[in-house]
Every structure is written in C-alpha cells, then in structure tokens.
Amino acid sequence: MDNLRKDSASTDLHFDSKSIVEPIVGALDLGSNSFHVLVVRVKRDRTFEELYSEKVMLRLGEEVARSGRLSDATIERAVEAVASLIKTSMLVGCSNFVANATAAFREAENSSVLVDAIWERCRVRVHVISGHREAELIFRAARASVHFGRAPSLVADLGGGSLEFALGDQAQMYFGVSLRLGVGRLLSRFPYDEPLSSKEIATIESYLSTHLKPVLTQASDYSPEKLIVSSGTFSTLARICYMNLEDIDGSATGNEVNGLSLSPEHFDNLEALILKNPPSKRLKVTGVDSKRNDQLPLGYLVLRSILAHLNVQEVQVSEWALREGMILNYVDEMADFEFTFDEESLRLGSVLTFLGKFGGFGSHSQQVRKIVRELSLALKDYIGFDSSDIEILEYAAMVHDIGNVISATHHDRHSAYLVEAANLRGFSKEEQHLMSVLCRYHKKGQPKAEEYPILSALSAKTLEKLLPMLAILRVADALDRSHQTIVESVSAKLKHSTLELDLVVSGDATLELYGIRRKGLLLEDVLSKRIEVKVE
C-alpha cells in the first residue's frame, strides 16, 4: 500500500493531450497442444479489448514425443490452421502479428520445414523460443493480470509439451525454467486405460516427483506464499474445482476465473471428479472441457505433485499467459505507444484508471480513504486485521461513491454494480467481490445473500472480516458527511467500554457528528463499545 499512500495526493490519471492510437496486435501461440490466436486492441491502462480469439487443437506434442518429428500431413494441417487464423484476424483489422512456437517446435527435428512453410504461405515469421524465454513471457503476463505483492509467488504453466515455472514478485522475476513434463508428452509416455489404477498413479507420480523436486526445492528456498497457475489445463482444473465446491456458490460469479483464489485443499475434490471418473462420466462434471477431457487426469496429477512439494497457502489463477506476454512485449517495443503505469503498480493503476473513467479520485474519496487507514491501523490488533485487509479496505474507500456517476439515488447499489463489473487487474475474484459488497452496504443495511448473491461467493474467512471492515468504512464516510474534508485527522483509543475518537477539525463539523451518531452503530456492535467523540 506504500504506492497508494505515496500517490494519494493525485486525483486523476493524466493522459497526454494528443490522441493516442491504440494498436491492434495479434499473438499467434503455436503450442504443443493447440494453435491459438488472440487479437486485441491494447489500452493504455494495461487492459486488452479482445477482438478475436480462436483455437485449433493439433496436439503436435504427442506426435513429436512418439516419433521426434512432424509428418508431412501434420505440417500441412498446421500451415492450413495458421493461414485460417491469420485470415480471420485480418478481418477484424489486425496487421501486426507476433508468432511464437514452443516445445513441439523446439524438439521436432524438422520443425524448420514448418516454420518456412508458414512464412511462404502466410508471410508471418515464427520465432521458436527457448523454454526460459517462454517462462519469462508467461511470468510477465501473470504479473500484469494478478497481484503478486512483495512476497515471492511461483507461476506454473502446463502446456502440451512442457511445464514452465517462473518465480518472482511484483517487481521482478528471480528465475524461470522449462521442464519436459507437458501433458501431451506425458500421455505419450504413460498410455493407459481409464480410470487410472493405483499402480499407474504411483508410477506417474514417482516420475513427476523425480523431475519436479530439484526445481521446487529451489523455489522453496524463496518461501513462495502462493502458486499462480495459468494456461488451459491448469485453469480448467481450477474452474472445475471452484464450480463444484460445496461451501461456495461457484455459479454466482460465472465462468471467469482470472484472479480466482483457492486453497490447496480445495483441489482434493478433483480426485473423485477427475481421477476416479471414466471419460464419459467426467464429461458430465460441471466445467469439464471435452477437448481436454483425456488430459485432465494427468494435468491433475502434475498439479497435485507440485502442491505436494510446496508449502503454499493459496492457489491463484491467471487467465493471462504466453499470448498476453507476447503482446505486452511487442507493445513495449513500439515507439509511439506507452502505458500509463507500470506492472509494479498494477492494483493502484487499475483502480485509478477505473476511477478516471467516471470522474476521477475526488476529494471525498481521498478523505474517506485517509480516515479508513487511520481507524484501521488504530483498531487492527483488536479486530484482527492484517495489512492486506487494510489495503483492500482502502481501495474500497476509493471506489465506494463511484455509483454517483449513474445516480445519487441508490448510488451504493450502482457503486457495487460498477465495481463487480469492472476489469480490475491485480485483484483476486474474492477481493473484487469483497469491495463490491463493501460498496453495496456502505450506507446502511445488513449484508444478506438473498439480497446480494455475490455474498454467497465469499469464503468464511472473508465473511468474518466483512462487518468490521464495513463498520470502519461507514464511520470514515460519516466523518466527511459534508464532503468538505473538515476532519484533518482522527485518532482512536480503545477503553474499557468506549471507543474514543479524537478529531482535529478545520471548521464546523456538525454534519460529521450527526453522521457518526447514525453510521457508527455498526462499529459499536462490532467492538461492543460505545463511541465517544471529542473535537479539537
């Protein structure tokens, strides 16, 4: 939150006065499982407007794993797939393409034939990148998609031909590595009839452990706090896991999984859903992709093996991976385009950009954020807040009144809707849901799932913090009821039966005192103490 405090004096993001052309870029990811094109309009706030996305499952990795080369028929199919993807991409205005090929191309002895054929047919130059470069681009995309924080996180991306790891924090990548453990390669190495027998599972897990242990031992030396998973197989497993949890209504938030956070234990239910079910029954499981159905058991075993070697408390999903990293890297090299903030300030930049679309970070929101912080720091030990709780509460304070842009009437509901619908990069789904709920009830009312269904998507741990956070936000909002920033500072002292608030004011605080009497009731209930206000 240091960046937020440092930048809080600024009330808007400042754009150049000249018109900025937003480039349209197409990323061709020629993977071992599939060829995928993503065409986007790149925004200055580090978001992408998707114009076209298509995937063709070719599963080159399995053929290369078996024979070490690509057949003439496969090469022809691959060229046709690329030509089709490029032709359709051009229809949406794309003329800038970056094409990277990964593990299957690195290992097929005749991959240069395919690269040349694509150039001759499509006039697109394919770059066969190293495993380390692949890990770098994936890390960059994940860092621009979810919040790493100051503590290290380990990114894992499972493709058809390889498994990439990248470890780092919001500021930098410490190391990256590529292992030949792609799910397509594993299918070729361990052919089996489903469901897998206990002996087959033990054999596969022993093989995985042998190859994973050196890298994950190195990663453990950095004490990563969370595992960030990206790409198709892992994100599919996370979606299946989430949508089939008993204690969370996974349908409340739709199919988007970017920023979704789960505990390692949540994935235990995939043993019954994925590993023990035959393919026909798996297809009936909510969230299963028929194109990946046969790869899911091995994908789950890879994920389970990774978690067995790590002591992480959280698994988070980044929907951005190699393709998005390719686009970010391409745009960085453009001379006439610049992002408004860097990846290290992802959360703050996302929120300020969001506010900028609806009038900016006004003086009232700045004042409420300031008071929220003062109260939270004073009460954190009593309430049990940690730094991340205070940070999210500050961000909620920044956006709590944004609904006024729609209407002052029911602006709390409008704020909740805008926050829930926003593309706030760097926030987990849980954090964004929480901010939405805080906006929805910052004026009054008791949070109820039947009234606001997003509540059913919050974990028990988050629900425990909800009322204390809401109570502090209401008091902070009340202490600027006049919207005149009259309260210069607030100090809070907990006594036996009271919470004493000492206010330093610069004018008539009558409205603020009235507001406290109305909006301080929840904080009194939370603390089981009566609020007493002293004004200097």
Side-chain angles (χ1 to χ4, degrees):
M1 207 64 182
D2 290 340
N3 286 334
L4 178 56
R5 294 197 295 275
K6 177 179 68 177
D7 296 339
S8 61
S10 172
T11 58
D12 274 303
L13 287 176
H14 300 287
F15 297 88
D16 296 336
S17 58
K18 64 180 180 180
S19 176
I20 300 295
V21 176
E22 296 173 336
I24 296 176
V25 181
L28 275 164
D29 172 9
L30 308 184
S32 301
N33 244 352
S34 62
F35 284 9
H36 197 152
V37 69
L38 173 66
V39 180
V40 302
R41 189 188 308 276
V42 182
K43 304 291 186 177
R44 295 193 68 205
D45 63 354
R46 294 189 174 274
T47 60
F48 298 158
E49 176 191 350
E50 184 178 308
L51 303 178
Y52 175 60
S53 178
E54 187 59 70
K55 176 175 64 177
V56 180
M57 294 293 286
L58 295 174
R59 302 177 78 150
L60 304 186
E62 294 176 35
E63 181 174 331
V64 173
R66 289 192 301 269
S67 65
R69 59 184 290 111
L70 299 166
S71 68
D72 291 343
T74 296
I75 290 175
E76 181 59 30
R77 282 193 303 120
V79 173
E80 287 294 331
V82 172
S84 176
L85 293 173
I86 290 175
K87 181 179 179 180
T88 309
S89 298
M90 293 177 72
L91 293 176
V92 298
C94 184
S95 59
N96 302 311
F97 290 96
V98 55
N100 284 351
T102 55
F105 281 72
R106 289 195 291 266
E107 296 173 20
E109 63 182 42
N110 62 338
S111 63
S112 61
V113 176
L114 176 53
V115 170
D116 291 342
I118 292 172
W119 170 251
E120 291 297 326
R121 173 78 178 274
C122 309
R123 311 312 287 179
V124 169
R125 184 67 67 192
V126 175
H127 302 278
V128 181
I129 60 174
S130 69
H132 184 269
R133 180 58 175 161
E134 187 175 356
E136 285 181 331
L137 292 171
I138 291 166
F139 177 84
R140 177 158 192 198
R143 190 177 65 164
S145 180
V146 299
H147 181 62
F148 282 47
R150 294 177 181 175
S153 294
L154 181 65
V155 179
D157 184 292
L158 180 63
S162 60
L163 169 64
E164 274 65 49
F165 287 112
L167 187 135
D169 55 29
Q170 199 69 42
Q172 63 182 321
M173 186 176 90
Y174 302 157
F175 74 83
V177 67
S178 178
L179 301 179
R180 299 175 67 184
L181 293 176
V183 67
R185 188 189 306 277
L186 292 173
L187 273 172
S188 297
R189 185 178 185 88
F190 299 103
Y192 57 86
D193 294 323
E194 293 197 65
L196 284 161
S197 68
S198 298
K199 184 178 179 180
E200 288 172 323
I201 291 172
T203 299
I204 295 169
E205 289 191 319
S206 176
Y207 177 83
L208 291 172
S209 180
T210 298
H211 290 79
L212 288 171
K213 188 174 181 179
V215 173
L216 296 179
T217 298
Q218 181 185 3
S220 295
D221 290 340
Y222 292 84
S223 301
E225 293 188 355
K226 64 182 173 182
L227 175 70
I228 298 173
V229 296
S230 65
S231 212
T233 302
F234 278 164
S235 61
T236 297
L237 288 169
R239 180 184 289 109
I240 295 167
C241 177
Y242 184 67
M243 297 185 76
N244 291 277
L245 289 177
E246 294 182 358
D247 57 337
I248 291 178
D249 181 5
S251 64
T253 57
N255 288 324
E256 291 188 11
V257 295
N258 190 66
L260 174 67
S261 291
L262 297 163
S263 72
E265 292 74 25
H266 278 139
F267 289 90
D268 292 345
N269 71 339
L270 293 183
E271 180 168 356
L273 294 172
I274 301 300
L275 204 56
K276 299 295 180 66
N277 265 337
S280 58
K281 289 189 177 180
R282 272 204 309 273
L283 284 172
K284 299 177 182 179
V285 175
T286 304
V288 169
D289 178 356
S290 60
K291 294 179 180 178
R292 295 184 184 275
N293 188 23
D294 64 326
Q295 298 182 341
L296 292 177
L298 285 173
Y300 170 62
L301 289 178
V302 174
L303 181 58
R304 188 165 79 174
S305 295
I306 293 171
L307 290 173
H309 285 83
L310 294 174
N311 183 28
V312 294
Q313 304 302 311
E314 179 184 2
V315 179
Q316 192 170 27
V317 181
S318 168
E319 287 194 322
W320 280 20
L322 179 60
R323 290 177 291 280
E324 289 77 10
M326 291 161 58
I327 293 171
L328 290 170
N329 187 69
Y330 181 89
V331 171
D332 267 352
E333 296 177 357
M334 298 178 65
D336 56 351
F337 184 84
E338 186 177 353
F339 290 117
T340 55
F341 58 89
D342 60 30
E343 289 157 357
E344 294 181 44
S345 304
L346 181 61
R347 280 153 80 104
L348 176 62
S350 294
V351 171
L352 287 177
T353 301
F354 174 58
L355 289 166
K357 295 176 181 177
F358 302 102
F361 185 22
S363 59
H364 172 64
S365 294
Q366 291 184 52
Q367 176 75 344
V368 174
R369 185 208 65 79
K370 173 177 172 291
I371 296 172
V372 156
R373 181 166 184 80
E374 291 173 340
L375 291 174
S376 296
L377 288 174
L379 301 175
K380 66 183 182 68
D381 292 336
Y382 188 85
I383 292 177
F385 281 178
D386 58 29
S387 59
S388 62
D389 297 323
I390 297 173
E391 183 178 357
I392 293 301
L393 187 49
E394 287 191 68
Y395 281 123
M398 292 173 69
V399 300
H400 79 284
D401 263 1
I402 200 168
N404 279 314
V405 72
I406 297 176
S407 173
T409 304
H410 301 308
H411 77 272
D412 48 344
R413 300 182 185 187
H414 302 318
S415 294
Y417 167 77
L418 290 173
V419 170
E420 186 61 33
N423 183 15
L424 294 179
R425 295 219 159 263
F427 293 89
S428 70
K429 299 295 286 186
E430 178 100 345
E431 289 168 337
Q432 192 163 339
H433 295 332
L434 174 57
M435 289 165 61
S436 175
V437 172
L438 290 170
C439 289
R440 172 63 180 83
Y441 292 99
H442 81 268
K443 284 178 62 180
K444 62 182 180 179
Q446 184 76 10
K448 298 177 182 177
E450 58 267 27
E451 181 178 67
Y452 197 55
I454 290 299
L455 276 159
S456 64
L458 297 180
S459 66
K461 181 180 178 181
T462 297
L463 289 171
E464 287 178 5
K465 302 284 183 73
L466 175 59
L467 289 183
M469 296 175 86
L470 188 58
I472 288 175
L473 180 58
R474 286 183 183 178
V475 168
D477 192 32
L479 288 174
D480 193 44
R481 185 176 175 82
S482 66
H483 287 221
Q484 298 298 313
T485 62
I486 287 169
V487 177
E488 295 183 351
S489 67
V490 181
S491 61
K493 298 177 183 177
L494 284 167
K495 297 191 174 181
H496 178 67
S497 60
T498 62
L499 169 65
E500 186 177 291
L501 299 180
D502 292 329
L503 311 183
V504 177
V505 302
S506 60
D508 182 2
T510 301
L511 283 177
E512 281 68 26
L513 295 176
Y514 170 72
I516 280 288
R517 289 195 294 273
R518 294 181 67 247
K519 300 186 74 171
L521 298 177
L522 181 57
L523 186 57
E524 289 183 331
D525 288 342
V526 167
L527 300 176
S528 298
K529 297 179 186 294
R530 181 170 45 85
I531 295 176
E532 290 186 352
V533 182
K534 295 183 179 180
V535 179
E536 296 181 16

